[in-house]
Amino acid sequence: MSKQTPFADRLPKPSKRAAGRTGPAQVPANIRVFGVDLSREERDLIRQRLGAKLGKHAPSIERVSVRVLDVNGPRGGVDKLCRIKVVLTGLPSVLYESRAAFLKDALNDALAGTERILRRSIERRHATPLKEPVRRKPLRPGPREEEPVEEEEEEGP
């Protein structure tokens, strides 16, 4: 596992407003759980894994949301769902979800898929050339009102 800094649990509002191109420690990672019990250590592990997988893209990330739910409840089966949403600066958000029988497998698959899509999205932004600004032609002056020309009358022979 990489020694990347884990994503932050919470950030105070003034630092959120001041955040721009930040490191992994300033990226807030919200973890929401529905029907699954996660201990504090497991939440910290998820933040650590987010920092390891997505930390290199932290300057482009505004925030990360991880949702873990038990789809089938107590019935069992393939029922753990991990959904990761990454909000990017200047790009559309990235959303990836994975289902597996065990939470660890669902988390690993979702992290790998999110990192892959995130990398492609950021590379695409850097690969597209910037369009040159559209230069408008100067406004053409309206038709000139010419002074009426008096025609000379021809005198007969």
Side-chain angles (χ1 to χ4, degrees):
M1 187 178 291
S2 176
K3 295 292 182 183
Q4 284 281 1
T5 309
F7 283 3
D9 181 14
R10 298 189 189 279
L11 287 178
K13 282 205 184 239
S15 63
K16 282 184 193 176
R17 289 191 195 109
R21 299 184 64 79
T22 59
Q26 286 81 34
V27 176
N30 296 322
I31 299 174
R32 304 280 186 240
V33 181
F34 303 98
V36 179
D37 293 328
L38 281 182
S39 67
R40 184 73 183 157
E41 292 80 24
E42 290 172 324
R43 289 174 186 262
D44 290 341
L45 179 65
I46 291 173
R47 284 193 182 82
Q48 183 68 35
R49 298 288 317 267
L50 285 168
K53 276 289 196 180
L54 308 179
K56 59 185 154 265
H57 304 295
S60 299
I61 297 174
E62 287 183 19
R63 65 184 171 274
V64 177
S65 173
V66 179
R67 293 180 185 261
V68 179
L69 29 125
D70 190 358
V71 179
N72 291 333
R75 290 181 286 167
V78 179
D79 62 348
K80 303 295 188 269
L81 178 82
C82 181
R83 182 180 300 141
I84 300 176
K85 180 180 179 182
V86 181
V87 178
L88 299 171
T89 305
L91 288 172
S93 297
V94 171
L95 179 69
Y96 193 90
E97 67 180 39
S98 175
R99 284 185 189 213
F102 301 103
L103 178 60
K104 185 177 180 180
D105 295 336
L107 178 66
N108 289 340
D109 291 344
L111 278 170
T114 302
E115 196 273 332
R116 185 175 55 248
I117 293 173
L118 186 62
R119 181 175 14 91
R120 284 182 190 163
S121 181
I122 292 172
E123 284 174 359
R124 195 174 302 132
R125 175 178 59 186
H126 293 304
T128 53
L130 297 175
K131 294 181 181 178
E132 292 184 25
V134 177
R135 297 183 187 210
R136 295 182 179 222
K137 295 179 181 177
L139 294 175
R140 295 180 185 163
R144 289 187 185 174
E145 291 184 24
E146 297 182 17
E147 296 178 15
V149 178
E150 293 182 22
E151 294 182 23
E152 293 181 19
E153 292 183 26
E154 291 183 25
E155 292 182 26

